Amino acid sequence: MSHPHRRILLQSGAALGLLGGLGFAASALAASKVKPSAKSALIVVDVQNCFLDGGTLAVKGGNEVIPIINKLAAQFDNIVVTQDWHTAGHASFASTHAGKKPFETTKLSYGTQVLWPDHCVQGTDDAALGKELKLPTAQLIIRKGFHKDMDSYSAFEEADHKTPTGLAGYLKSRGIKTLFVTGLATDFCVAWTAMDGRKAGFEVYVIEDATRAIDLNGSLAAAWKQMSAKGVKRIQSGDIA
Ligand code: VGL
Ligand code: ZN
């Protein structure tokens, strides 16, 4: 004959153990969530027509970041938007250099420059922010790459690694400590912005699913490696509390 009481005790003991384990798992999950504070800023990099479907330098899947960024915006008190904002005949355009084709490189005064198709020319519809991007609470739009002879992937400093855009001063004078970087493209303007954010002393997260890459000759893997070496943290939009 079996022992019904003992069996019940064992079962409830097992159930308690299971619940305890679940509780632990839930708190571990909660602990890995990141909560933006009043000292955090969402940085939305170059979500412009030029990098979206039909644009002059369209990034594969670029449009997919828009609903993710629109949704993230609700969690942030501070939002900064950037725009790639080139002159016509800009030094980063292949068409400016005789005999050069897009995606080749050349040497400029500050080092090696990837040459791009003409893109994001100041004042054109191509350079406008994506129509579906809805960031009514964004407080600053910073434009970069407007010096004819110098590129600027980073929202903090131009390609000579000297000329500041003013963004670090703006963020610091507003008491911002932590940056959450999103947008296009992961391996160029997002990565350079994130790394220069570290250099300027900010804590920096890149929200991977809110970015898409150009991925030229392994540039995406290289960018993640460099970002991680500089202490940039890689998270997903679902990791934000
Ligand atoms: C970008 C290439 C050229 C970017 C800008 O926004 O990532 N990439 N200009
Ligand atoms: Zn550009």
Side-chain angles (χ1 to χ4, degrees):
M1 204 186 152
S2 67
H3 301 273
H5 288 105
R6 184 192 238 173
R7 182 181 288 158
I8 285 163
L9 273 172
L10 278 172
Q11 283 172 342
S12 54
L16 274 172
L18 182 64
L19 276 173
L22 279 174
F24 174 77
S27 61
L29 255 178
S32 72
K33 290 257 179 188
V34 185
K35 196 168 171 52
S37 77
K39 293 179 175 180
S40 302
L42 179 68
I43 313 287
V44 180
V45 176
D46 299 1
V47 183
Q48 296 167 260
N49 293 330
C50 27
F51 300 115
L52 298 171
D53 290 344
T56 48
L57 183 45
V59 178
K60 195 163 174 271
N63 291 62
E64 294 164 15
V65 306
I66 295 178
I68 300 173
I69 292 169
N70 287 346
K71 195 169 158 212
L72 280 168
Q75 324 248 56
F76 287 86
D77 293 347
N78 309 293
I79 302 177
V80 172
V81 173
T82 76
Q83 276 179 298
D84 209 35
W85 201 249
H86 298 310
T87 59
H90 192 258
S92 74
F93 297 174
S95 66
T96 302
H97 306 269
K100 288 289 189 181
K101 290 194 211 54
F103 310 109
E104 294 178 354
T105 61
T106 194
K107 294 264 185 238
L108 294 181
S109 60
Y110 48 83
T112 301
Q113 171 70 50
V114 179
L115 295 172
W116 305 102
D118 291 22
H119 66 281
C120 305
V121 172
Q122 299 171 356
T124 62
D125 187 55
D126 191 56
L129 294 171
K131 255 199 189 64
E132 287 151 26
L133 191 68
K134 298 277 189 258
L135 300 174
T137 63
Q139 296 145 359
L140 176 73
I141 297 178
I142 190 139
R143 289 169 167 173
K144 60 184 178 62
F146 51 75
H147 287 127
K148 203 171 196 291
D149 297 320
M150 185 159 46
D151 208 357
S152 186
Y153 295 144
S154 164
F156 288 98
E157 57 184 37
E158 304 193 34
D160 61 356
H161 296 293
K162 283 192 193 82
T163 310
T165 63
L167 181 59
Y170 169 86
L171 293 169
K172 283 179 186 174
S173 64
R174 294 204 49 220
I176 303 294
K177 305 274 187 221
T178 306
L179 311 179
F180 292 80
V181 188
T182 63
L184 306 170
T186 326
D187 41 351
F188 290 92
C189 292
V190 167
W192 286 49
T193 297
M195 292 192 283
D196 283 348
R198 290 290 299 146
K199 197 168 141 190
F202 298 97
E203 179 182 32
V204 181
Y205 294 89
V206 168
I207 307 175
E208 184 176 18
D209 59 328
T211 74
R212 289 295 183 280
I214 295 174
D215 203 10
L216 199 59
N217 307 318
S219 57
L220 179 60
W224 278 120
K225 207 170 161 191
Q226 290 167 18
M227 285 193 279
S228 134
K230 293 188 156 61
V232 173
K233 296 172 200 165
R234 179 179 184 168
I235 60 169
Q236 310 301 316
S237 56
D239 296 331
I240 299 202

